[in-house]
Amino acid sequence: MMERYPDIEVYVASISLEALNAWLASALAAPPLSPAGKGKWKTHGQHQGKEVPILLVEKAADRFASLWFDSSHTPWMTDQECAQHAAEALQTEVRCSLGGWHPGDDPDRFWQVLPGGKEGAIEWPDSGR
């Protein structure tokens, strides 16, 4: 059985706040994102009766925003599962780490998910990690 990640982080290609809010409302019954500082937005969703804090950081890497779910209580077991769901729902490219990061891992290797189910490992040297 796959181990549930303690939190989920994905990188979403340029997308409107309206589209992102609609997806978060659908997936986690989250109210719209609200400003939380320069280029940051936050809200709280719910999944199976548990609160899920959500943080969006615009322009986190290249043309991608970081979307972080600070909880293990999400509908997704892993970052990759979330990326697959988000790419289809938002019809945009989504990237995530290849798995849990450990010392010695290549920080520039990411998983890319495109709408329509195309996905695979990529090098992302401008990630800033």
Side-chain angles (χ1 to χ4, degrees):
M1 184 172 144
M2 192 180 307
E3 183 178 331
R4 179 175 285 280
Y5 285 15
D7 65 347
I8 299 289
E9 183 178 21
V10 295
Y11 296 88
V12 181
S14 303
I15 189 81
S16 72
L17 274 179
E18 293 78 18
L20 193 53
N21 281 329
W23 177 63
L24 293 172
S26 169
L28 292 165
L33 289 156
S34 60
K38 185 174 179 162
K40 295 181 181 178
W41 302 80
K42 66 181 178 177
T43 189
H44 287 83
Q46 298 281 329
H47 182 67
Q48 297 179 339
K50 304 283 185 174
E51 186 173 286
V52 179
I54 302 166
L55 177 66
L56 175 73
V57 178
E58 297 176 334
K59 300 178 185 155
D62 299 332
R63 59 186 171 84
F64 289 82
S66 167
L67 185 59
W68 180 42
F69 303 90
D70 187 14
S71 173
S72 63
H73 302 289
T74 67
W76 316 286
M77 296 283 285
T78 65
D79 293 3
Q80 184 176 339
E81 199 174 291
C82 177
Q84 291 164 337
H85 188 265
E88 283 309 309
L90 298 169
Q91 288 298 293
T92 193
E93 179 182 354
V94 181
R95 296 176 179 181
C96 65
S97 66
L98 286 173
W101 189 84
H102 302 286
D105 286 353
D106 184 348
D108 295 337
R109 299 279 294 156
F110 281 80
W111 193 254
Q112 176 187 49
V113 182
L114 301 172
K118 183 176 182 224
E119 56 187 274
I122 60 166
E123 292 287 328
W124 196 15
D126 297 331
S127 66
R129 287 191 172 205

